[in-house]
Amino acid sequence: MDNIKNKSLLSILCEPGEHALAIDNPADGSVVGYIPWQSEAEIDQCINKSCLAQKLWQKRPAKERSCLMYRWYERVMDNQADLARLMTLEQGKPLAEAMGEVAYGASFIQWFAEEGKRAYGTTIPGHTGDRRLMTIKQPVGVAAAITPWNFPIAMITRKAAPALAAGCSFIVKPANQTPLCAYAILELARQAGMPEDVLQVVVHHSPEQVGDLFTHHPVIRKLSFTGSTRVGRRLIAQSAETIKNTSMELGGDAPFIVFDDADIVQAVQGALASKFRNAGQTCVCANRFYVHDAIYDQFVSQFTEAVKSLKVGSGLEDGVQIGPLIDVQAKERIFRTINLAVEQGATIVTGGKPLDGCFVEPTVLTDVQHSMSFLREELFGPVAPIMRFTNDEELLEQANDTIYGLAAYFYSRDISRIWQVAEALDYGMVGINEGIISTELAPFGGVKQSGFGREGGQEGLEAYLETKYLCFGGIQ
Ligand code: SIN
């Protein structure tokens, strides 16, 4: 923490105590710091304040909201190095990746600062001569969000920025593992002049209690969640009582397909980027690989060599590419999966050995069959199971054989095949000859049990807007 220059980013820190939450560093198990958590009554107060603030915020011209957001964006970028260090300390990802996430997170603020000025309505040709019809866009109201630990900044700004741009107030519960980044960007929003109560962060020792409060509170009109399908299911059910507008970005099970006409060097690079980003802890990480028989050996040998050269260690060390998993439970879970895979007949080509603390060696598994049960779940760790295929039709059936539908990837140079496969994959996002597809400019989201709603792009703003229809009568 001593290396964090802007001490105002740490203003939330408190002494250890009964109402203090300890934040652990997954690289060495030390405590990064303590922050206070709020009681349920305090969170309820925050929600009510958010409601009052929203009424004033939506009256501010879109251009004024945009200017404030732009100032926030600049402050985040001015503090990129400090925010990245804080992120590495509480989340574990390598510093270079954390720098990238700060810029990625800030890009949502910048994009929606612009996009908010374009919340256009429509005029509609009337159905009688004496009427004129139009639509206007209005903010949904108070928006709440529950965000995950794997992207401590970007998953907040991807929701907060469109909400604020649309004229909603916004209240977020970050993951209890990574609240420091949330409070740091909140502090920067305040310094940029964002009115108090328009943007708030709440933390409680029990995340479930906050979920209950958010879903049952009548004042909250929108709930956006990024996390597991299991928790998403519960939040959707709970939101039914107050008929909340919800957006759900849930689990993934991304297939990564390499056809026989692919550029293998490009495919290996894409596979590495997609699989090992954040040590495999993203919802869009490649979860299972399908490689055509004709190029299987070549792909596996080049990919394995590249995986062996990945440097594992504390995210603050120079050149580290794979940081720790978020906690010991995550590491134990990944080893249970590796052991199950081996029991079911998979071969470990590299990795697979436990390292100290929360670290896991990047692992490649071959002799994997689509029918193996360990493949049915999101791995969320640095493990790459590779399968062989010969027939495109069968391959597509297997690629779509999952309850999830977030992201899929494939490599091919045949334009007909590219269109056919892109259209046939039952996923919300498809990377074609590309392993990293996330950007503020495009709609991010899934189908099936990966959720609904889109974040980023034009669609991201729509998620926080209602369309109101106006009918003007008596026009002579
Ligand atoms: C996620 O893992 O949910 C987000 C990944 C991304 O934004 O690329």
Side-chain angles (χ1 to χ4, degrees), residues 104 150-151 155 158 226 249 277 281-284 438 444:
Y104 176 46
N150 60 346
F151 288 86
M155 292 307 101
R158 189 155 81 183
T226 296
E249 201 263 272
R277 182 171 171 225
Q281 303 172 110
T282 91
C283 302
V284 288
S438 308
F444 186 107

Side-chain angles (χ1 to χ4, degrees), residues 19 29 59 125 151 162 200 223 240 279 316 348 389 414 462:
H19 274 251
K59 292 211 172 85
F151 288 86
Q200 297 182 78
L223 177 69
L316 293 177
I348 298 175
F389 76 92
D414 174 331
E462 277 298 321

Side-chain angles (χ1 to χ4, degrees), residues 155-207:
M155 292 307 101
I156 296 179
T157 54
R158 189 155 81 183
K159 299 174 193 299
L164 297 174
C168 297
S169 55
F170 187 82
I171 181 162
V172 59
K173 186 210 82 65
N176 278 2
Q177 293 93 330
T178 57
L180 296 177
C181 281
Y183 277 111
I185 57 165
L186 176 76
E187 172 62 25
L188 293 171
R190 298 253 190 284
Q191 291 176 13
M194 193 67 72
E196 212 162 312
D197 304 337
V198 162
L199 178 62
Q200 297 182 78
V201 175
V202 295
V203 168
H204 189 274
H205 68 90
S206 157

Side-chain angles (χ1 to χ4, degrees), residues 1-44:
M1 295 289 241
D2 292 346
N3 288 329
I4 290 175
K5 294 194 188 79
N6 182 352
K7 297 294 177 211
S8 76
L9 301 183
L10 307 174
S11 55
I12 190 67
L13 290 178
C14 68
E15 293 299 318
E18 205 192 329
H19 274 251
L21 190 73
I23 319 302
D24 296 332
N25 179 344
D28 60 13
S30 64
V31 175
V32 179
Y34 294 87
I35 61 158
W37 53 268
Q38 289 107 317
S39 67
E40 282 165 53
E42 284 166 329
I43 296 176
D44 190 62

Side-chain angles (χ1 to χ4, degrees), residues 71 93 125 129 146 160 162-163 233-234 252 266 290 342 356 367 389 407 410 413 447 458 469:
R71 287 220 293 271
K93 66 178 66 179
I146 301 179
R233 221 175 261 133
R234 199 183 69 225
Q266 257 188 31
Y290 298 88
V342 171
D356 286 347
D367 298 320
F389 76 92
F410 69 92
R413 284 181 285 195
V447 298
Q458 282 179 345
Y469 158 52

